[in-house]
Structures are given as structure tokens and as C-alpha cells.
Amino acid sequence: MVQVCLNGERDATDGARIPLTPDALATAAAEAVAAGATDIHVHPKTPCGRDSLSPRVVTPVLEAIRARVRVPVGVTTGAWTEPDPAARVARVHSWTTLPDHASVNWHEPGAEEVAAALLERGVAVEAGIWSGTDGAARFARSPLAGQVLRVLAEVTDPNPGTAEETARALLSELDATGADRPILLHGAEGGTWPVLRLARRLGLATRIGLEDTLTLPNGERARSNAELVTQALLTDAPERP
């Protein structure tokens, strides 16, 4: 599985290639799926470019993307969208169009409540466990751990020289939790490609897109999410026993 992360917290200052509007996101999603992506992660944005959980923002994005592709579509519920956990839960309950799944960062305040609200509404949960946080320990204690769709093992180390080591340490933390859920491993910025190559070698699901990196493995600026997906699928094959 290769998930495409279309835009993330990026905005117009990161370049015209970042899809922000529903139409631009739908086009980017269609191109990425044609290139081989099998799942979509998106940050719906207000007209001014701010991530939002408002149904007036989420619905047009989901409808536009689903009109173009037939793969699962997920959204973020990061704390920056609504700093007050109760407001985040209220937003989830206010959705009129539901995503297939939503990511919940387990180190953030209110993660359990947001995840419970999503599950109550029939939205699958991706448990975001970030390196350098206590997310893995919190997840290990969570009564919801066995109910999530998968774990997003998010390596926040941007150093290409150390990101793989950080990724292996995070995987060890997750293994110690005993949570038997599928893992999607991915990196960020300079650590994106080393971590993606590790995920491919280990046979783990992974993701790629302009949220995680703006550059190709050779350092050149990526022209689109589709180009990043194409490059991801050309990386190392899984290790054999």
C-alpha cells in the first residue's frame, strides 16, 4: 500500500504545486491514483489556506475527490485544526459527509476522545504515533488500540543520515506495545526517502506526497504528487527471508 498525502499543513508559500482547493485536490488525487497510489490523506483547507475540520470545508473536498477516484480518502484531525479537544470532537460530530478514515495523533491532548468520536460515527482511525513523543506509550495504554485501522508510524527526524535509525527505534517502541495493528511507516522532509526505502524493504505500507517532501530522491523539486508516487513505487522491493 502506498498512501498519497496531498498537501499537509503546507500553503501557497510552498509553491503553486501544492493543491489547496477542492478542484486542485481532486485533480492531484486522480493523478496520484493513476500513478499507483491506493489511499489518500488530505488536509481540507479554508479559502485562506488554514486546515479546518468544518463540515463546510471537509464536505466539498471529499465530494470533489470521490467524484474522481474510487480509493479510500482520509483527513487529518491534528490539534492545530482545533486546539480545544472538545471543539475537535464537536467538529467530528458535525460532519455531514464522512471520510473513510481520519488520522489521530496519539500524543496530542484529546486524542482518545477524538478517536472515540470517529469510531462512534463509523470512521476508521489511523493512530498517528510520532517519533520523539510519548505517543507509543499512550497508545499502549489505550482501550481503543485494538480498534484502529492502522498505526501511522511517523518519523519526524528530518535528517537523512539518522532518519532510518530513528524509524527502527520507533518500530521497536511499537513492537513493545504489543498492539497487533497494521503499520504504515513514513518520514518527513529530508528523512522521507530513507524511511520510505526502509518501509519498502520491510514490506510495510508507506506514504508519499507533497505533505512529507517537496523533493525527489535526487534532490530535484517534485512537479506533483503523482511524480512522487511514481518514484516511491520504483524504490527497493521488500526484503526476502
Side-chain angles (χ1 to χ4, degrees):
M1 170 191 166
V2 175
Q3 181 182 81
V4 61
C5 48
L6 296 174
N7 56 357
E9 291 184 76
R10 300 193 194 275
D11 56 29
T13 63
D14 292 298
R17 296 178 177 86
I18 307 299
L20 303 174
T21 67
D23 285 346
L25 287 163
T27 297
E31 292 172 349
V33 170
T38 55
D39 192 278
I40 294 167
H41 173 77
V42 63
H43 289 213
K45 295 181 182 291
T46 64
C48 64
R50 179 180 176 273
D51 287 5
S52 175
L53 299 181
S54 166
R56 290 180 296 178
V57 177
V58 172
T59 292
V61 169
L62 293 177
E63 289 181 345
I65 292 175
R66 284 172 172 159
R68 301 286 298 276
V69 301
R70 294 291 184 270
V71 301
V73 184
V75 302
T76 183
T77 64
W80 59 87
T81 60
E82 292 283 356
D84 177 17
R88 253 178 294 145
V89 169
R91 285 297 198 191
V92 169
H93 284 297
S94 75
W95 286 344
T96 53
T97 302
L98 298 177
D100 296 286
H101 52 75
S103 61
V104 178
N105 300 321
W106 230 261
H107 65 281
E108 293 177 345
E112 294 273 348
E113 292 79 5
V114 172
L118 289 165
L119 292 170
E120 181 181 335
R121 298 218 61 192
V123 179
V125 172
E126 296 179 308
I129 311 298
W130 292 20
S131 63
T133 73
D134 64 349
R138 291 189 180 196
F139 186 67
R141 299 191 297 269
S142 174
L144 302 179
Q147 300 179 47
V148 305
L149 173 66
R150 57 180 160 255
V151 171
L152 299 183
E154 307 198 16
V155 181
T156 60
D157 182 355
N159 187 328
T162 59
E164 180 177 331
E165 179 182 354
T166 303
R168 290 186 182 276
L170 178 58
L171 291 174
S172 293
E173 282 187 70
L174 289 170
D175 185 58
T177 68
D180 185 23
R181 305 310 302 158
I183 292 177
L184 185 159
L185 176 67
H186 75 97
E189 305 300 352
T192 299
W193 292 106
V195 174
L196 185 142
R197 286 191 287 269
L198 174 64
R200 293 282 288 161
R201 293 197 305 271
L202 296 178
L204 296 175
T206 190
R207 81 177 198 184
I208 193 66
L210 293 172
E211 172 174 354
D212 289 345
T213 183
L214 299 175
T215 59
L216 299 169
N218 62 7
E220 292 182 3
R221 184 89 170 194
R223 291 173 293 181
S224 66
N225 282 289
E227 186 175 27
L228 290 168
V229 170
T230 297
Q231 287 297 313
L233 292 172
L234 292 174
T235 60
D236 305 289
E239 294 175 349
R240 300 299 180 186

